[in-house]
Amino acid sequence: MTKLFRDKLTTKYLGRTLHYFPVTESTNAAAWNLVAEGCENGTVVLADHQLKGRGRRGSEWHSTRDYSLIFSVIYHIDIPPEKLGLLALLSGVSVVDGARVNLSFPLQLKWPNDIVFQGKKVGGILIETRRKNDGFIVVAGIGLNVNERNEDLMGELKHTATSIYIESGKRVRREALLASILFYYEYYLENLHEVIPQWNTACAHYDQVTSFHSGKEVIEGTFHGVTENGYAVIESMGKKRIFSGGGIEI
Ligand code: BTN
């Protein structure tokens, strides 16, 4: 897994230190252990299988051994706390650009952290942060359904999720895809102002009527993209409202 990755990697620092596990509990958990040991900025943790993959809001993330692309990126960033939401968006646009350039595969994004294809989920992003000095240590965990076949998707996922292989009929070299995603990840970390316009372009529901879930409230409104801090803009009954969290049904 790692030789091809290293051959394809064109970044300056992101992914130059790679920790590969055939199996681990969660690449995010492994990443925090490496942070505690004082790992290099830009270290990437990659696994072929996770036993306790973490999803958003305490959910579990299921991946398929050897078929999913599961990894976490560790970096330090100096950013005001109100802009932390940008990091999930940055991760999303890096995946979209990486898949477009490496595979000519057109992924899209769904607020706030989902990677989708024609309304079905292909991947998810889990950002975990801890304060460090003036900024934050970030562990950005990304899980992508890459080479899964229909029979690998369990239960409800059969209807709500898909993989790049299912949609394109082509097997993917996960190492090359990862190297391409990391190239864009590093680029956007250095060009944060490009994240929002790119995210809005890749958004699957831009200017569409959506059901927006914020806590217990459900707002029917039009999604008008994201603000410079990465918050969702929803227009409902003639009023624009801004949300930092929540989820969307499209
Ligand atoms: C979501 O709920 O949509 C986010 C899922 C994030 C899953 C990835 S897989 C790699 C990394 N390690 C984890 O334990 N979770 C993230």
Side-chain angles (χ1 to χ4, degrees):
M1 184 94 186
T2 57
K3 171 150 187 348
L4 179 60
F5 169 73
R6 287 187 209 284
D7 288 349
K8 295 283 179 190
L9 193 66
T10 56
T11 57
K12 286 176 274 191
Y13 71 98
L14 219 62
R16 292 277 153 200
T17 305
L18 179 78
H19 287 260
Y20 163 72
F21 298 94
V23 185
T24 188
E25 286 215 342
S26 146
T27 56
N28 272 34
W32 285 118
N33 291 338
L34 290 166
V35 169
E37 289 166 17
C39 66
E40 286 292 315
N41 190 35
T43 294
V44 168
V45 182
L46 174 67
D48 270 329
H49 190 46
Q50 284 185 143
L51 299 174
K52 268 195 191 167
R54 297 181 189 164
R56 291 180 67 225
R57 299 196 207 99
S59 64
E60 254 186 76
W61 179 259
H62 296 280
S63 43
T64 316
R65 187 188 290 259
D66 298 335
Y67 287 177
S68 301
L69 176 58
I70 33 187
F71 65 100
S72 302
V73 189
I74 304 169
Y75 53 92
H76 183 263
I77 192 164
D78 245 326
I79 194 173
E82 65 272 18
K83 283 190 185 279
L84 279 177
L86 279 180
L87 302 179
L89 310 185
L90 186 157
S91 306
V93 292
S94 305
V95 171
V96 169
D97 283 5
R100 190 188 59 247
V101 170
N102 182 246
L103 308 170
S104 302
F105 191 80
L107 288 167
Q108 286 190 305
L109 299 169
K110 182 178 150 200
W111 171 266
N113 290 29
D114 287 353
I115 298 154
V116 297
F117 179 81
Q118 293 179 353
K120 289 186 170 175
K121 187 153 167 165
V122 177
I125 297 159
L126 179 68
I127 303 290
E128 297 175 332
T129 56
R130 290 184 193 162
R131 274 198 174 275
K132 169 113 192 258
N133 305 332
D134 286 344
F136 293 89
I137 297 279
V138 182
V139 169
I142 299 177
L144 269 185
N145 300 335
V146 173
N147 285 322
E148 280 84 349
R149 303 152 302 176
N150 271 313
E151 59 266 39
D152 298 315
L153 303 176
M154 299 298 167
E156 178 62 11
L157 290 182
K158 283 202 184 306
H159 310 289
T160 58
T162 189
S163 76
I164 296 175
Y165 172 70
I166 291 169
E167 300 299 336
S168 68
K170 290 186 196 137
R171 293 248 165 231
V172 171
R173 299 308 303 248
R174 290 171 299 157
E175 301 87 337
L177 175 59
L178 175 59
S180 183
I181 292 170
L182 293 178
F183 171 82
Y184 287 102
Y185 212 112
E186 188 175 276
Y187 175 83
Y188 285 114
L189 279 173
E190 289 169 358
N191 296 278
L192 271 182
H193 62 282
E194 291 188 30
V195 169
I196 297 302
Q198 273 303 102
W199 196 92
N200 284 333
T201 304
C203 175
H205 48 83
Y206 194 86
D207 275 349
Q208 283 181 25
V209 176
T210 54
S211 288
F212 191 85
H213 296 246
S214 174
K216 287 192 176 140
E217 200 184 358
V218 180
I219 303 118
E220 297 291 327
T222 307
F223 184 91
H224 286 307
V226 286
T227 67
E228 60 174 344
N229 282 349
Y231 301 166
V233 183
I234 307 288
E235 186 175 347
S236 173
M237 299 198 286
K239 269 199 190 150
K240 279 194 177 158
R241 295 174 63 185
I242 310 283
F243 295 90
S244 62
I248 262 186
E249 263 173 48
I250 43 175

